[in-house]
């Protein structure tokens, strides 16, 4: 609305145009004073972009890490202000709610019988082994790691790692 008034203020009275478009005249003049000045969130966005440029690994920083980096530089700002500035600057990425799992459930397959029944103790070595696989996100891809643990003394008896 204010741009409309500014474009036509040479031909028409500002007071009459403000009444016609139902905006306050003081609001119009206030907008002229602040025109061209950067808003506080824009100044904050410049500082956030500087943090991103410091290191190529900083591009995955979220709101929490950016807030910590700003605090370490002596810039007092709220978490919501950082989030708002990052959202307006297109830097806010949605984190996945659930990580993609390694295995996909096969509904047709028969479920394995629970032989351990949450009893993780053993009378002698090599009687009960447990295993698990985990994926570790690295800069150059995913690393998959599987370990085999002996329930008798908690010793790792086997370890395997592989990339995709």
């Amino acid at each position: 609305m204010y741009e409309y008034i500014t474009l036509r203020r040479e031909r028409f009275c500002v007071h009459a145009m403000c009444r016609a478009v139902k905006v306050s005249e003081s609001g119009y003049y206030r907008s002229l004073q602040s025109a061209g000045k950067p808003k506080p969130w824009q100044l904050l966005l410049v500082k956030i972009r500087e943090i991103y440029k410091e290191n190529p690994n900083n591009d995955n920083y979220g709101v929490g890490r950016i807030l910590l980096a700003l605090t370490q530089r002596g810039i007092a700002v709220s978490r919501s202000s950082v989030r708002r500035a990052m959202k307006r600057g297109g830097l806010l990425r949605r984190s996945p709610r659930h990580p993609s799992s390694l295995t996909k459930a096969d509904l047709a397959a028969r479920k394995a019988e629970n032989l351990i029944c949450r009893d993780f103790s053993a009378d002698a070595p090599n009687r009960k082994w447990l295993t698990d696989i985990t994926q570790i996100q690295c800069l150059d891809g995913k690393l998959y790691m599987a370990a085999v643990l002996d329930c008798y003394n908690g010793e790792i008896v086997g370890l395997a790692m592989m990339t995709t």
Side-chain angles (χ1 to χ4, degrees), residues 96-128:
R97 298 289 290 167
H98 302 287
S100 57
S101 62
L102 297 175
T103 57
K104 304 293 183 210
D106 183 9
L107 300 176
R110 200 179 83 194
K111 264 190 140 178
E113 187 180 346
N114 186 358
L115 300 174
I116 300 287
C117 298
R118 300 195 62 81
D119 178 22
F120 301 112
S121 60
D123 301 336
N126 299 326
R127 294 282 176 123
K128 281 187 195 173

Side-chain angles (χ1 to χ4, degrees), residues 10-57:
E10 297 297 324
R11 292 177 40 201
F12 302 105
C13 174
V14 171
H15 177 72
M17 284 192 294
C18 287
R19 265 191 319 177
V21 294
K22 295 183 178 153
V23 294
S24 69
E25 193 174 347
S26 62
Y28 168 71
Y29 286 114
R30 197 176 322 118
S31 75
L32 289 179
Q33 289 177 349
S34 65
K37 289 184 183 177
K39 296 188 173 29
W41 68 267
Q42 291 171 327
L43 297 173
L44 181 60
L45 187 60
V46 169
K47 293 173 184 167
I48 293 171
R49 289 188 195 276
E50 288 173 3
I51 292 170
Y52 277 130
K53 288 180 185 173
E54 285 176 4
N55 192 326
N57 295 331

Side-chain angles (χ1 to χ4, degrees), residues 9 12 16 54 56 71 82 84 86 89 101 104-105 107 113-114 120-121 125 129 134 138 147 152 156 158-159:
R9 73 179 178 183
F12 302 105
E54 285 176 4
T71 305
V82 172
R84 194 177 308 114
M86 289 177 69
S101 62
K104 304 293 183 210
L107 300 176
E113 187 180 346
N114 186 358
F120 301 112
S121 60
W129 285 359
T134 185
C138 301
Y152 178 69
I156 301 289
L159 182 69

